[in-house]
Amino acid sequence: MSSDPTVVLAHGAWADGSSWSKVIDQLEQTGVRVLAASLPLTTLAGDTEALDRALEHVGGPVVLVGHAYAGGVLGGVTAPNVKALVYVAALAPDEGETVGDVFGRGTPHPQAPALAPDSHGLIWLPDEAFAAAFAPNATAEEQVRLRALQRPISGACITVPVNRPRWRGVPSWYLVTEQDRMIPAENQRFMAERMGAEIRVHDVDHTPSVTAPGVVSDLLREVVAKVKANQA
């Protein structure tokens, strides 16, 4: 088994692993092994278990990456092979907080969508929100694809207080997205600074894996190189 780190990517709400496709291509082209984990988005515990199973499958050292909601999932993993955490416009609740607590912190962007569960307790992103807030810098075709592939998130994922988060003991990086209309940059900076993360700030929207994949890939290659150097 290679000792080189594998980058494990965790998608957020209203997305699936395909949202990382451009980042996967760029990393693989430079020799970085990648796995996009699939989260069921049904309960926070279930998502954490699914991600831990993916980490067990990888086996070797991991740079674990989460977008948006997945930041809350990253905080709960227990797999010992996680060597670094990377938050991409991601939510980082502290002990006793819920994902919803940190998502709702501060003043929302004027174009942020109104969200409410349906009769099954599932929260869907309104169709128009993909262009207005989720990925405004994406092409029209990409926005249509994101809408068509969206997966709703259960309210049960965002209402459960978390335990002591993993970022308290693992080196962490945070990519702040200045144009974000879903999680305002001010809120992201608050979480990143509280984490003690290494912060990178870019003038991109909420979903840079689609709209600015080079920004994400460059950061991940930087983190992979640091993990490798620390293991040498």
Side-chain angles (χ1 to χ4, degrees):
M1 181 181 295
S2 172
S3 61
D4 287 350
T6 297
V7 172
V8 175
L9 304 162
H11 61 82
W14 311 300
D16 63 11
S18 68
S19 62
W20 296 105
S21 294
K22 294 180 183 180
V23 173
I24 292 169
D25 290 345
Q26 292 182 3
L27 292 178
E28 292 279 3
Q29 287 167 10
T30 55
V32 178
R33 184 169 180 260
V34 187
L35 175 70
S38 181
L39 305 182
L41 303 180
T42 50
T43 65
L44 183 59
D47 291 338
T48 304
E49 290 168 4
L51 188 51
D52 264 325
R53 289 193 294 269
L55 297 171
E56 180 182 353
H57 168 74
V58 170
V62 164
V63 172
L64 182 56
V65 187
H67 175 240
Y69 160 72
V73 184
L74 264 58
V77 297
T78 59
N81 52 332
V82 176
K83 305 302 179 184
L85 299 170
V86 181
Y87 287 70
V88 178
L91 297 164
D94 202 350
E95 186 171 4
E97 295 177 335
T98 70
V99 172
D101 288 338
V102 288
F103 179 68
R105 182 184 174 277
T107 303
H109 189 279
Q111 290 176 274
L115 301 171
D118 65 12
S119 60
H120 304 286
L122 300 176
I123 303 169
W124 296 80
L125 196 64
D127 288 357
E128 63 275 11
F130 287 94
F134 192 77
N137 295 342
T139 66
E141 292 79 7
E142 288 169 337
Q143 289 164 355
V144 168
R145 192 175 303 115
L146 288 167
R147 176 195 57 76
L149 291 170
Q150 82 153 303
R151 298 171 60 223
I153 185 170
S154 170
C157 294
I158 63 173
T159 55
V160 177
V162 304
N163 296 320
R164 186 177 189 273
R166 193 69 183 273
W167 49 258
R168 288 204 168 272
V170 175
S172 301
W173 281 256
Y174 198 111
L175 195 163
V176 174
T177 50
E178 287 276 33
Q179 296 182 30
D180 205 307
R181 299 175 182 176
M182 297 292 294
I183 305 170
E186 179 184 1
N187 191 7
Q188 294 181 41
R189 285 193 185 88
F190 165 80
M191 291 183 285
E193 291 170 358
R194 182 172 68 172
M195 293 166 63
E198 290 200 33
I199 300 172
R200 304 291 182 269
V201 180
H202 290 276
D203 193 26
V204 295
D205 68 13
H206 178 68
T207 313
S209 60
V210 175
T211 61
V215 166
V216 181
S217 300
D218 287 348
L219 173 57
L220 298 183
R221 280 190 287 264
E222 174 192 341
V223 177
V224 166
K226 289 190 176 183
V227 170
K228 289 175 68 174
N230 289 339
Q231 294 182 146

